[in-house]
Amino acid sequence: GAGVSQSPSNKVTEKGKDVELRCDPISGHTALYWYRQSLGQGLEFLIYFQGNSAPDKSGLPSDRFSAERTGGSVSTLTIQRTQQEDSAVYLCASEGILNTEAFFGQGTRLTVV
Amino acid sequence: AQRVTQPEKLLSVFKGAPVELKCNYSYSGSPELFWYVQYSRQRLQLLLRHISRESIKGFTADLNKGETSFHLKKPFAQEEDSAMYYCALSPSGNTGKLIFGQGTTLQVKP
């Protein structure tokens, strides 16, 4: 596809379970970002991948959160032992080498019950 | 601390009225500022960035370093402008690693 694709669109999970959220960036984009949008909050930066460099994990809220990017393309955000406060929309964005604009996916709405 | 503040959660105007969405920032260096928009059921997209000095869909925004503001303006609102608007700051020049405000919902009434 032409845009950033995220799956699943919606995820309901039980408290304490692990979840994986997937992001397919725009082909050829070297930078990939994860954000979280909680109810009533703005977007909160989580993690950033640039090419083969070590990721910038400065926004991850706890060690239950991790992300990887395989082959410089697809990225997976993993939340272990989910808590109710993890309920949010998780957005992924990618950016080309010219760094002019980040393109966002449609998001994954995570609900922890 | 680096922060972006959008003081209004909701701004409601009538079609044809002027619009000003407020954004104030806190940053010690030379920031790069953006406005993003999210229309209903659509993904977040870039509206404009201050360094390009463009007018997109009739919207403009001027960086005022003295007042640390980057307000978004449009002289005549249209119904299709109804959306959520986010002001964002890039502290590092990285256009994807952004500090966002909490957003303002613009409602343009007919």
Side-chain angles (χ1 to χ4, degrees), chain A residues 1 6 14-15 23 33-34 39 44 49 52-54 58 62-63 69-70 77 80 88-89 94 100 111:
Chain A
Q6 293 186 244
E14 291 180 355
K15 178 181 172 181
C23 173
Y33 307 84
W34 283 97
L39 188 64
E44 173 190 16
F49 296 89
N52 295 321
S53 302
S58 59
S62 78
D63 58 9
R69 189 179 185 191
T70 53
L77 177 69
Q80 296 178 308
V89 176
S94 72
T100 55
T111 304

Side-chain angles (χ1 to χ4, degrees), chain B residues 6 14 34-35 47 49 58 68 75 83 98 107 110:
Chain B
Q6 294 179 249
F14 285 101
F34 305 81
W35 276 98
L47 180 61
R49 54 192 297 183
T68 59
L98 301 167
Q107 182 184 73

Side-chain angles (χ1 to χ4, degrees), chain A residues 33-38 43-49 55-67 77-79 86 90, chain B residues 97-99:
Chain A
Y33 307 84
W34 283 97
Y35 283 86
R36 177 170 72 175
Q37 185 174 28
S38 306
L43 283 86
E44 173 190 16
F45 166 78
L46 297 177
I47 187 169
Y48 156 50
F49 296 89
D56 175 350
K57 304 179 183 179
S58 59
L60 294 179
S62 78
D63 58 9
R64 296 186 296 105
F65 287 73
S66 62
L77 177 69
T78 301
I79 308 173
D86 298 335
Y90 290 82
Chain B
K97 184 179 177 183
L98 301 167
I99 299 169

